[in-house]
Amino acid sequence: MRQGIENKVVVITGASSGLGEATARHLAERGASVVLGARRTSRIESLAKELRSKGLKAKAVQTDVTDPHQVTTLVDMAVEEFGRIDVMLNNAGLMPLAPLERLKLDEWDRMIDVNIKGVLYGIAAALPRMKAQKSGHIINVSSVYGHVVDPGAAVYCATKFAVRALSEGLRKEMKPYNIRTTIISPGAVRTELLEHISEKDIQAGTQEFVSKIAIGADTFARTVAFAVNEPDDVDINEILFRPTAQPV
């Protein structure tokens, strides 16, 4: 029975900042080989170089999660470099909040493409490898907004509810292959996520609220590590966490 983080190969989307970057650092420091996927190539290459300079194992692969071929290449490069894939962390996400009546159709499409299709493409890329290995762990990032719906967040909430539904279906289907599944639903965490909000009044109000209560991205990294660290016969299916001060 395998347990622990050391020597596991972890693929992370959205690894250029925030939750993904913090998790890459945290797991690499604990002996994992991390493969970093993101659109911002310079950031992930810089992070990979920094980690390797410390004697840690890291590789950067430019990846747009809205392109299934690029996500497949990300996983293929992980296997080519490190021989296998143990964990797929589908972390890339967008949160351009706005009331439905403002009809931000382009933003709706983008959220669906990244938050839902990006997760599906990550699953599609990792699943054949994990089925062949008869082992693996797929971690999908939802949100507190995957559990509750607030005015101004309906489409974002819908995408995060969808992540939870997909993950539960995946959990039930993967039993014959010894593949674990975890949903992580963060509350207010200090990241660049609020920069995606194009409506300045919504952005200002959200930033004011979040700045008072947000916790560090290392909190998310520790929850990932907890799920990954459990032995193979333990499937941590969902973790929901918030700042202690967060009412929503």
Side-chain angles (χ1 to χ4, degrees), residues 12-17 36-45 60-67 70-71 74 91-95 110 113-115 192-193 195-196:
I12 303 172
T13 66
S16 60
S17 65
L36 316 175
R39 289 178 301 135
R40 294 180 290 186
T41 312
S42 61
R43 286 203 181 190
I44 54 173
E45 287 180 346
V61 182
Q62 183 179 25
T63 308
D64 182 343
V65 298
T66 67
D67 182 343
Q70 291 190 36
V71 184
L74 172 66
N91 166 69
L94 297 173
M95 192 181 72
R110 185 67 177 161
D113 286 344
V114 175
N115 296 359
E192 297 178 1
L193 200 59
E195 295 178 11
H196 303 147

Side-chain angles (χ1 to χ4, degrees), residues 184-207:
I184 300 183
S185 297
V189 179
R190 285 187 294 274
T191 69
E192 297 178 1
L193 200 59
L194 302 186
E195 295 178 11
H196 303 147
I197 302 175
S198 63
E199 300 293 273
K200 296 306 179 186
D201 59 329
I202 304 296
Q203 185 184 57
T206 306
Q207 285 177 331

Side-chain angles (χ1 to χ4, degrees), residues 46-111:
S46 176
L47 176 57
K49 183 178 179 180
E50 176 194 330
L51 294 174
R52 289 195 298 266
S53 73
K54 299 176 181 178
L56 307 177
K57 297 177 182 178
K59 182 177 180 62
V61 182
Q62 183 179 25
T63 308
D64 182 343
V65 298
T66 67
D67 182 343
H69 301 294
Q70 291 190 36
V71 184
T72 298
T73 297
L74 172 66
V75 171
D76 288 347
M77 294 293 284
V79 175
E80 180 179 320
E81 181 80 10
F82 298 113
R84 58 185 292 114
I85 173 174
D86 296 298
V87 182
M88 181 75 192
L89 173 56
N90 291 309
N91 166 69
L94 297 173
M95 192 181 72
L97 302 179
L100 287 168
E101 63 183 341
R102 298 194 187 181
L103 304 179
K104 307 290 286 188
L105 273 68
D106 289 345
E107 293 183 355
W108 300 351
D109 285 342
R110 185 67 177 161
M111 276 191 281

Side-chain angles (χ1 to χ4, degrees), residues 218-240:
D218 58 311
T219 306
F220 175 86
R222 292 195 302 273
T223 65
V224 173
F226 167 68
V228 171
N229 189 61
E230 288 298 291
D232 287 350
D233 63 347
V234 178
D235 197 4
I236 304 297
N237 298 130
E238 186 160 12
I239 300 173
L240 167 61

Side-chain angles (χ1 to χ4, degrees), residues 128-148:
R129 300 284 190 174
M130 292 181 176
K131 285 175 64 178
Q133 295 170 178
K134 285 293 183 76
S135 69
H137 192 170
I138 295 177
I139 303 176
N140 296 329
V141 181
S142 181
S143 169
V144 166
Y145 273 152
H147 296 256
V148 299

